[in-house]
Amino acid sequence: MTIIAWIAIALGIVWLVALGGGFYGIYGSELRVVSVVLAAVALATWGVVAVRRPSWRPRSAISPAFALPLAAFALTTLTSERPRVSVEYLGYAVVLVALYLLLRALMAHPGFRDRVSGFTVPLALGIGIAFVAACVGHWVDWWSAIGAVRVPPLRPFFESLTYGNPSAVMTISVLLTAAAVAHVGVATRARQALVAGLVVLAAAVTLLSGSRAGWLAVALAALVVGIGALASPGGRGALRAALRTRAARVTALAVLVVGVGAALVAAPAVLLRAGAGGEDLRVTYLAVAGRMFAGAPLTGVGAGG
């Protein structure tokens, strides 16, 4: 039964990552209905199992954190000008909380935890390779059209797989890669090579996505994590131990040289993307959001949002 359950879970994850959680799965009503049905089946099955086995019952240390957003959705639903739409999104919020608790229950089970965390490795590889290959394909067409090989633009043809935006691809790639690296670890040379490949692939996706907000987020996250690691004696000791061997120092130097070289090659495309504009549009969004909040600071406006 565990194998059958895992096959069903794996298929559900593939559906969610590849289609159900992408642009068409969110904004296409037909696919969204399929996702809701699949979620209902998964939650109902979990409910039956939880009744018979107490260890599967929902629990989470951060359960109080769910109360505020659900209360906000409920309040805006009661005061909404479009109650039907608001009830729908309140329902989605409840389903998301339930699915999180289901994921937590799965990760508390040793058999499912190893399989779910291990499944992030092929997912990270698959999405990263697919995005890079798609971008290279667009570049080949571009080079053929201009009749020369030049530094190509980032996010060619706004390539975004099934996610509707290159920034979304970058986000999915980084999150899956983080989970995959944590699962693989660096205990052996083979695992170290796999981790290096995953990180390089995620870095390529991050660069090619042309996501300025994503670049800033990754830079800030790396800075915060680096400072946090070096601030602890354990982190400093681990860094010193890692750099004691000649192979580690050579690897670090090679990574630095390759990184600097890649940055120099990509600099024209990065600078072009950095000056691509769009700030006026974002300022407009901020101004509109401010007026909406000022008009109804407690209950919100529109469809209960």
Side-chain angles (χ1 to χ4, degrees):
M1 288 299 294
T2 301
I3 296 299
I4 296 176
W6 165 239
I7 292 174
I9 292 169
L11 291 175
I13 293 174
V14 171
W15 167 266
L16 175 65
V17 173
L19 194 58
F23 178 87
Y24 303 103
I26 294 173
Y27 295 103
S29 57
E30 295 84 0
L31 295 180
R32 192 163 66 243
V33 168
V34 173
S35 296
V36 171
V37 170
L38 292 176
V41 171
L43 293 173
T45 304
W46 177 39
V48 172
V49 174
V51 170
R52 300 178 60 183
R53 300 182 181 180
S55 62
W56 281 92
R57 291 173 186 173
R59 58 177 63 88
S60 173
I62 62 172
S63 293
F66 299 137
L68 285 178
L70 289 179
F73 270 103
L75 177 62
T76 55
T77 298
L78 292 173
T79 60
S80 174
E81 298 174 359
R82 300 176 180 86
R84 190 198 66 79
V85 177
S86 299
V87 168
E88 181 179 353
Y89 280 88
L90 173 61
Y92 285 140
V94 172
V95 170
L96 285 175
V97 170
L99 289 176
Y100 170 81
L101 293 174
L102 171 57
L103 177 61
R104 192 269 176 202
L106 288 172
M107 298 303 283
H109 189 286
F112 288 117
R113 179 174 62 246
D114 293 340
R115 290 187 174 98
V116 171
S117 59
F119 202 43
T120 59
V121 176
L123 288 175
L125 289 172
I127 290 176
I129 292 172
F131 184 71
V132 172
C135 289
V136 171
H138 292 316
W139 287 345
V140 171
D141 294 338
W142 184 69
W143 287 326
S144 300
I146 65 175
V149 177
R150 297 177 182 173
V151 177
L154 302 176
R155 55 171 51 186
F157 288 94
F158 207 67
E159 177 59 51
S160 53
L161 301 180
T162 61
Y163 298 102
N165 192 303
S167 299
V169 181
M170 182 218 130
T171 303
I172 296 294
S173 173
V174 169
L175 293 176
L176 284 174
T177 299
V181 168
H183 173 78
V184 174
V186 292
T188 65
R189 291 285 181 86
R191 289 177 179 268
Q192 293 170 8
L194 178 56
V195 165
L198 287 166
V199 171
V200 169
L201 185 59
V205 172
T206 299
L207 173 63
L208 298 183
S209 71
S211 174
R212 293 171 293 182
W215 296 343
L216 178 62
V218 169
L220 290 176
L223 179 63
V224 170
V225 171
I227 292 175
L230 295 177
S232 65
R236 293 192 297 272
L239 179 61
R240 286 194 295 266
L243 294 177
R244 279 174 186 164
T245 64
R246 185 172 183 275
R249 291 193 294 271
V250 171
T251 301
L253 179 60
V255 169
L256 179 62
V257 171
V258 172
V260 171
L264 292 175
V265 172
V270 172
L271 292 175
L272 180 64
R273 174 59 189 153
E279 292 79 8
D280 294 343
L281 181 62
R282 287 162 175 80
V283 170
T284 300
Y285 286 154
L286 184 62
V288 171
R291 289 196 297 269
M292 293 170 66
F293 178 76
L298 181 62
T299 61
V301 297

